[in-house]
Amino acid sequence: MERYEEIAEHVQNGYSEKARKAVEAALSEGCSPERILKEGLIAGMDVVAAKFKSGQMFLPEVLAVAGAMKAGMELVKPLLVAAKHQSLGKVVLGTVRGDMHDIGKNLVAIMLQGAGFDVVDLGTDVRVEKFLEAVEREHPDVVGMSALLTTTMVHMKTVIEALKQRELRTRVKVIIGGAPISRNFATEIGADGYARDAATAVDLVKELMNHAQQQ
Ligand code: B1M
């Protein structure tokens, strides 16, 4: 079996230790961290997402899967996050209130850091006040919000409204993402952009920052 498939299979089975060892082996054999992430870790998670949706997998198993995914991500993260001397800008990131999903948000953070941005990760279940405090404290160029639940995506609008009320909205660009999010939703709530995946999020942040500099 190819290494990437092996990693994907350990993620699907929720075997953290085996996933970690397979990633270590892949790296020592010279496999690229990008392919390990995409064809191993994310490929495994994609299968799980489909099984969870169709009722073939249940919450405790998915929790174990998340653990295996994280164990693998910890090893590839430092390799994807190249040490850049000059920062391209600062992004405050968080998963919105009531939402504990952080795998996608963490990937966005890794990709942004890899591209040369400073990332302030506020974690999961981030309340409006915490986003506002971070904007006042960190002076980011961009605020990024992630939501995976249809019940929590509504909090994105609350954050945008609160930024307006606190007169902070014009200071930052706001981008959003996550499985239930769409471009239409972003427009509807007044975000500056939507990204369907982590790589697109990097392009979007670059585009928004270029646009802001030209103004
Ligand atoms: Co949850 N869960 N979950 N879950 N879970 C979903 C989201 C769900 C779609 C599963 C399903 O099909 N039914 C469903 C939501 C249904 C809905 O709202 N319509 C669901 C549910 C219902 C729940 C619970 C309510 C279950 C329960 O308790 N009964 C519960 C909620 C807990 C809570 O948050 N309060 C719950 C819990 C969990 C676990 C804890 C077990 C675990 C999360 C572990 C963790 O994150 N640490 C989990 C998981 C793993 C999933 C699925 C299977 C996979 C999510 C994932 O990590 N995908 C998910 C099924 C699915 O998404 N189809 C599901 C891999 C990841 C790389 O992709 O997160 O989409 P994703 O991120 C992508 C893009 O979306 C984008 O880029 C990322 C990388 O390319 N992106 C951004 C994400 N954020 C972005 C931000 C950006 C830009 C792009 O800019 C800022």
Side-chain angles (χ1 to χ4, degrees):
M1 193 193 297
E2 215 192 322
R3 272 287 178 224
Y4 304 113
E5 269 177 60
E6 189 191 337
I7 295 168
E9 199 155 309
H10 291 324
V11 168
Q12 282 173 54
N13 290 327
Y15 296 154
S16 297
E17 194 50 27
K18 286 184 178 171
R20 196 181 58 75
K21 284 198 171 136
V23 170
E24 260 171 6
L27 287 171
S28 69
E29 286 159 11
C31 298
S32 84
E34 287 83 4
R35 285 190 69 186
I36 293 174
L37 185 65
K38 278 191 197 143
E39 295 172 40
L41 299 168
I42 295 181
M45 183 53 97
D46 282 347
V47 176
V48 172
K51 284 190 176 169
F52 190 31
K53 194 172 181 182
S54 63
Q56 289 170 270
M57 246 178 144
F58 301 98
L59 212 53
E61 296 160 282
V62 181
L63 263 176
V65 168
M69 175 92 187
K70 281 191 176 168
M73 267 165 74
E74 267 164 30
L75 293 173
V76 290
K77 182 179 169 179
L79 302 168
L80 293 169
V81 179
K84 294 259 163 71
H85 295 296
Q86 209 186 348
S87 169
L88 293 182
K90 195 186 261 189
V91 183
V92 160
L93 262 190
T95 302
V96 296
R97 181 181 164 190
D99 202 321
M100 308 310 287
H101 296 86
D102 67 354
I103 295 169
K105 185 260 303 159
N106 293 345
L107 273 178
V108 173
I110 291 172
M111 298 286 190
L112 281 170
Q113 286 170 307
F117 290 94
D118 285 328
V119 173
V120 179
D121 188 346
L122 303 178
T124 57
D125 187 18
V126 181
R127 290 174 174 267
V128 179
E129 216 28 64
K130 208 169 161 190
F131 275 111
L132 297 179
E133 279 165 18
V135 171
E136 282 170 338
R137 185 182 66 241
E138 303 287 345
H139 304 287
D141 302 285
V142 177
V143 171
M145 290 184 274
S146 179
L148 265 285
L149 300 170
T150 43
T151 48
T152 58
M153 60 195 267
V154 291
H155 299 310
M156 292 173 156
K157 184 174 180 185
T158 316
V159 173
I160 292 176
E161 293 303 323
L163 284 169
K164 281 186 198 157
Q165 271 180 13
R166 197 72 72 91
E167 295 182 356
L168 295 169
R169 180 67 184 94
T170 51
R171 283 204 223 162
V172 288
K173 298 288 179 192
V174 177
I175 69 159
I176 61 172
I181 309 301
S182 65
R183 195 174 301 281
N184 281 350
F185 180 69
T187 310
E188 193 185 305
I189 65 168
D192 296 297
Y194 150 78
R196 68 173 184 281
D197 58 36
T200 318
V202 173
D203 292 341
L204 177 62
V205 169
K206 284 183 179 165
E207 193 186 306
L208 289 171
M209 294 224 8
N210 280 340
H211 193 248
Q213 275 159 12
Q214 280 162 13
Q215 280 178 342

